[in-house]
Amino acid sequence: GENVEQHPSTLSVQEGDSAVIKCTYSDSASNYFPWYKQELGKGPQLIIDIRSNVGEKKDQRIAVTLNKTAKHFSLHITETQPEDSAVYFCAAPRGKLQFGAGTQVVVTP
Amino acid sequence: NAGVTQTPKFQVLKTGQSMTLQCAQDMNHEYMSWYRQDPGMGLRLIHYSVGAGITDQGEVPNGYNVSRSTTEDFPLRLLSAAPSQTSVYFCASSEMDGWEQPQHFGDGTRLSIL
């Protein structure tokens, strides 16, 4: 099975609403959980990351929460804007870095 | 600061041909990696290097070779291209302890094998 499961695979939201993407991982020893944003024709770019010694981290309209007991972490985007439309990937180290399958986020005006 | 530079951006090959995808970084990063991206499958690790002269296999290494003669460069070689290698290829670099550090990605090489 997948080492990092990401849901949903697609997410359509109205501009101004919130978006939430969730990832679950299998290795309880994982300590670093990044989120990447990939715009069309570009490489993934880190937008936020969290380490296992904190439960939540915010950066303006984006936040990441971590539940180590349940082995899941989530990306929260508030007050979505059209420029938030992209593919978002979570990742977790399991030996090497394992990526989720991605979430296509579409923000409609 | 250029970051991670990949060339070419696009390439079409015939089955059986060989080619090298180039990757260079100017951040003096120790870790460099190659990923392939296919629809619905996220990013899968092909090969990686933790420093000059050291390389290792990732999740999907078959059909690919790498070498790391300098800190800056990490080329990926397709020995005999197959249609299953049609994909978008990304190179990434990161600092020491790279799996728990931010990955810096290039903008990819879009490769089609006919």
Side-chain angles (χ1 to χ4, degrees), chain B residues 58-97:
Chain B
E59 181 184 359
V60 287
N62 292 341
Y64 307 95
N65 270 359
V66 292
S67 60
R68 184 97 179 270
S69 56
T70 67
T71 299
E72 295 78 20
D73 299 298
F74 190 43
L76 177 73
R77 297 181 187 86
L78 278 70
L79 309 173
S80 177
S84 61
Q85 294 178 305
T86 293
S87 187
V88 183
Y89 291 85
F90 289 99
C91 178
S93 72
S94 58
E95 297 178 8
M96 282 293 291
D97 299 325

Side-chain angles (χ1 to χ4, degrees), chain A residues 36 38 41 43 51 89 96, chain B residues 37 48 90 100 103 107 110:
Chain A
Y36 291 85
Q38 185 179 26
R51 298 185 186 271
F89 292 97
K96 295 107 183 148
Chain B
Q37 184 177 29
Y48 66 100
F90 289 99
E100 297 197 355
Q103 303 290 309
D107 282 338
R110 284 141 187 87

Side-chain angles (χ1 to χ4, degrees), chain B residues 1-7 21-34 48-54 67-76 90-96 98 102-107:
Chain B
N1 193 345
V4 177
T5 302
Q6 291 186 239
T7 56
L21 280 63
Q22 302 291 344
C23 176
Q25 53 95 5
D26 61 0
M27 298 171 282
N28 201 33
H29 284 168
E30 292 295 327
Y31 274 59
M32 294 187 75
S33 309
W34 276 102
Y48 66 100
S49 169
V50 301
I54 306 169
S67 60
R68 184 97 179 270
S69 56
T70 67
T71 299
E72 295 78 20
D73 299 298
F74 190 43
L76 177 73
F90 289 99
C91 178
S93 72
S94 58
E95 297 178 8
M96 282 293 291
Q103 303 290 309
H104 299 259
F105 286 89
D107 282 338

